Amino acid sequence: MAEGKSARRGRSRTSLLLGPGLHPGRIEMAMAASADGDERVYRVRLASGRHLTARLDGAVAPDFAEECLRGGRTVVLVDGPDGPRIAGALQVASAIEKDERGTLALEAKHLRVRADQSIVLEVPGGSLAFEPGGALRLEGDKLVIDMAALVRIFAARVELP
């Protein structure tokens, strides 16, 4: 049965922007949706070149949307009850995962890890911790230093038991 004009008039125009299916786009700008800035909305350019405003789907973390914005990653949009929703993003690189032996390998020309508080590497029997204030703590039963040429220790004071 055909829909009446009054029923069509009551429906939000934004809910009709995309149509059925998944729609690729790129986030171009993040904006605050309310005066308190709690919920953000995003300006998205669809693959067709058309621009629209979209909110995040409940499963999408705001930090992830910001990462997509910075990296120019393609996001996937769907129609939501109150207009277009960003439902996720396309994965364009392999995820970091363990191999069949349980080994996780990171390979890069340079690797940088940053933390606000500390970084701790642990294995059974030992740990290496980078703590606040610049302290480096190495704990375990044995310490082996195997250097081919030279070991230098620069410190104001060295204590050995």
Side-chain angles (χ1 to χ4, degrees):
M1 186 168 170
E3 215 175 356
K5 283 185 182 179
S6 61
R8 281 192 305 247
R9 215 177 281 137
R11 187 184 298 157
S12 167
R13 291 189 71 204
T14 58
S15 66
L16 301 174
L17 283 176
L18 297 173
L22 303 174
H23 303 271
R26 297 206 182 202
I27 300 174
E28 292 187 334
M29 182 172 34
M31 305 172 285
S34 57
D36 59 7
D38 281 346
E39 184 184 14
R40 293 174 87 62
V41 295
Y42 299 87
R43 180 181 169 175
V44 179
R45 181 178 39 84
L46 297 175
S48 66
R50 190 172 56 156
H51 288 90
L52 55 82
T53 300
R55 287 180 160 69
L56 295 180
D57 185 66
V60 178
D63 288 347
F64 182 67
E66 297 295 325
E67 181 183 320
C68 291
L69 169 63
R70 284 190 308 273
R73 183 181 298 174
T74 300
V75 295
V76 177
L77 294 103
V78 296
D79 274 330
D82 57 349
R85 291 280 180 164
I86 298 171
L90 296 179
Q91 182 173 333
V92 295
S94 298
I96 299 172
E97 60 182 46
K98 299 180 281 189
D99 66 13
E100 64 279 351
R101 295 179 310 196
T103 301
L104 177 66
L106 300 176
E107 296 182 24
K109 187 173 182 179
H110 302 279
L111 180 62
R112 180 178 299 213
V113 178
R114 291 180 186 252
D116 289 334
Q117 292 296 315
S118 65
I119 297 173
V120 179
L121 303 174
E122 296 179 334
V123 296
S127 67
L128 172 64
F130 299 87
E131 299 175 344
L136 173 62
R137 181 176 302 275
L138 183 60
E139 295 179 349
D141 293 332
K142 298 180 199 175
L143 173 63
V144 176
I145 300 174
D146 189 356
M147 298 292 157
L150 176 68
V151 173
R152 288 186 184 162
I153 299 175
F154 295 100
R157 191 171 101 192
V158 176
E159 293 180 13
L160 297 173

